[in-house]
Amino acid sequence: MSKLDLLVKYIEKHNKLFIQMHNSPDPDAVGSAFGLQYLLLQRGIEGEICYKGEIDKYNTQKMIELLGIRAINIDDIYNMEEDDLIILVDSQKGNSNLEDFIGNEIAAIDHHPIFQKTDYYFSDIRPEIGACSTIIASYFIENNIEIPKNVATALLYGIKMDTLDLTRGVSHLDLDMFCILYKLADIEIVNKIQTNSLQFEELLAYGNAIKNIKVYDNVGFANVNMDCPDSLLGTISDFIISIQEVEFSVVYSPRDSGIKFSVRNELDYLDAGKLVHDVLKEVGNGGGHKTMAGGFLPAENLHIIGDIDSFVEDRFLQEIKITKRQFKQ
């Protein structure tokens, strides 16, 4: 029995099923949800795609618009009930970037490491995979289901963005699915999504990051010093680690609710997800992949850390030093 068939087996005949993406979803989350929605429809099951927060990146907005994807903000859903079913994509229960909706989370399909053990009815969590869209694409292939052009385009763009054009955390499955999807996708739409994807107001965040960047050996820190959307924060972290002297980047955004972190890593002896988890475990939460991770420090704990910049730099450099020493032993 295929994974898709196992998932369908656990979905009872409910009135409502929701496919929940993480807060402020990125292209990989959108592509995964859109692909799964189509797959379930082939099994006679309808599901609504939903999320919390704002879709703040221009390219994600453009992707939804050009591919005809219907994604509903939870603030516009008034009829969700406790026994409604929820399938989580590109996310897991307990993650700081996932709102706990009133429905029953029966399944999770994700490529992030597990930091909170949860008993789902169905789970397909593969941290070794570069993009959640890859996992969803594999369901099509395993079940011999034809992939429509708009779905193939969404999945392709999800893989492209989450693996940084196949240069970050790429598995053989990512490569295989990318090749298959590339032949089926509308490349002209992909190019339209990418064109002029930087919005003018985002230049302020880039400017602050460049102005505030500090580099210690091969570790780069940048305080964007403004409320910066999660997706943009990750993009800036990618930009910082692209600097020749930087192999580990920590970019953070102070907000009214606390401090959001985005971390990138190119060093073999470091695991970005474990590192940010260890740094923030007593004052917040964090996790992710070996090469990319995120974290959050709630505002109510800011009094514990003192000066923000000093805390971030001291704690990360200390953990990196400890890990490097253990690696050499």
Side-chain angles (χ1 to χ4, degrees):
M1 184 177 290
S2 70
K3 287 184 168 60
L4 176 62
D5 290 330
L6 283 172
L7 173 60
V8 170
K9 178 183 176 182
Y10 287 115
I11 300 176
E12 302 173 12
K13 296 299 181 181
H14 276 60
N15 291 329
K16 294 190 290 292
L17 170 73
F18 295 92
I19 301 169
Q20 183 183 353
M21 304 180 286
H22 58 71
N23 300 348
S24 302
D26 59 8
D28 187 33
V30 174
S32 300
F34 189 45
L36 180 61
Q37 182 185 51
Y38 183 85
L39 283 168
L40 293 175
L41 197 58
Q42 305 316 297
R43 295 289 193 262
I45 300 169
E46 294 185 4
E48 280 196 296
I49 300 173
C50 61
Y51 65 96
K52 175 72 175 179
E54 300 296 326
I55 298 179
D56 39 54
K57 283 290 288 180
Y58 176 80
N59 59 346
T60 312
Q61 296 170 6
K62 201 72 175 174
M63 172 187 185
I64 290 172
E65 174 192 338
L66 293 175
L67 296 176
I69 300 171
R70 186 172 184 266
I72 308 172
N73 192 302
I74 188 61
D75 294 337
D76 297 322
I77 298 176
Y78 306 103
N79 60 344
M80 186 181 290
E81 300 175 358
E82 289 185 7
D83 62 346
D84 291 336
L85 303 183
I86 296 176
I87 301 174
L88 304 176
V89 293
D90 200 29
S91 59
Q92 299 170 45
K93 287 190 71 171
N95 285 6
S96 61
N97 68 338
L98 184 76
E99 186 77 8
D100 186 9
F101 291 172
I102 192 173
N104 179 21
E105 297 92 346
I106 62 159
I109 303 172
D110 192 18
H111 69 123
H112 296 95
I114 300 172
F115 277 92
Q116 174 181 304
K117 185 173 176 54
T118 302
D119 291 325
Y120 303 102
Y121 288 106
F122 172 88
S123 67
D124 187 4
I125 300 173
R126 307 188 220 176
E128 72 278 8
I129 303 299
C132 190
S133 292
T134 294
I135 299 173
I136 299 299
S138 72
Y139 289 3
F140 281 90
I141 306 306
E142 291 168 2
N143 293 276
N144 294 314
I145 297 175
E146 186 176 346
I147 312 176
K149 186 178 287 288
N150 61 342
V151 174
T153 306
L155 293 170
L156 179 76
Y157 192 63
I159 297 173
K160 179 180 173 64
M161 294 302 292
D162 240 42
T163 63
L164 202 61
D165 289 325
L166 300 180
T167 63
R168 177 177 63 199
V170 182
S171 68
H172 288 298
L173 187 62
D174 292 300
L175 293 172
D176 290 344
M177 293 303 103
F178 189 91
C179 290
I180 291 172
L181 293 167
Y182 191 89
K183 298 174 184 177
L184 303 172
D186 190 326
I187 303 304
E188 184 177 340
I189 287 183
V190 172
N191 291 333
K192 285 182 180 179
I193 295 171
Q194 293 185 131
T195 303
N196 299 325
S197 62
L198 184 63
Q199 295 171 284
F200 179 76
E201 56 265 30
E202 295 175 354
L203 292 177
L204 294 174
Y206 270 95
N208 285 346
I210 293 170
K211 181 176 64 176
N212 296 328
I213 188 171
K214 299 177 184 176
V215 179
Y216 302 93
D217 292 329
N218 54 355
V219 182
F221 296 92
N223 183 351
V224 299
N225 206 28
M226 60 183 289
D227 190 339
C228 180
D230 292 359
S231 53
L232 177 58
L233 198 66
T235 303
I236 295 174
S237 196
D238 289 331
F239 168 72
I240 296 298
I241 205 169
S242 70
I243 298 171
Q244 184 176 352
E245 292 82 3
V246 177
E247 295 177 285
F248 190 93
S249 68
V250 181
V251 178
Y252 48 106
S253 166
R255 306 171 178 178
D256 291 339
S257 58
I259 305 174
K260 182 69 179 181
F261 293 83
S262 180
V263 179
R264 298 290 185 265
N265 171 48
E266 294 179 345
L267 296 165
D268 290 338
Y269 62 88
L270 293 180
D271 184 314
K274 185 179 185 306
L275 196 72
V276 71
H277 174 265
D278 291 344
V279 167
L280 297 176
K281 62 183 177 182
E282 296 178 358
V283 291
N285 56 73
H289 300 281
K290 177 180 176 65
T291 57
M292 58 186 293
F296 185 71
L297 197 164
E300 57 264 29
N301 292 338
L302 289 178
H303 69 282
I304 301 174
I305 69 170
D307 179 73
I308 294 174
D309 294 333
S310 296
F311 168 83
V312 173
E313 294 166 18
D314 291 347
R315 288 297 300 273
F316 272 96
L317 290 174
Q318 181 183 24
E319 287 294 336
I320 290 171
K321 183 178 180 180
I322 292 172
T323 306
K324 186 176 182 179
R325 184 167 60 243
Q326 292 173 341
F327 179 79
K328 289 183 175 181
Q329 290 179 348

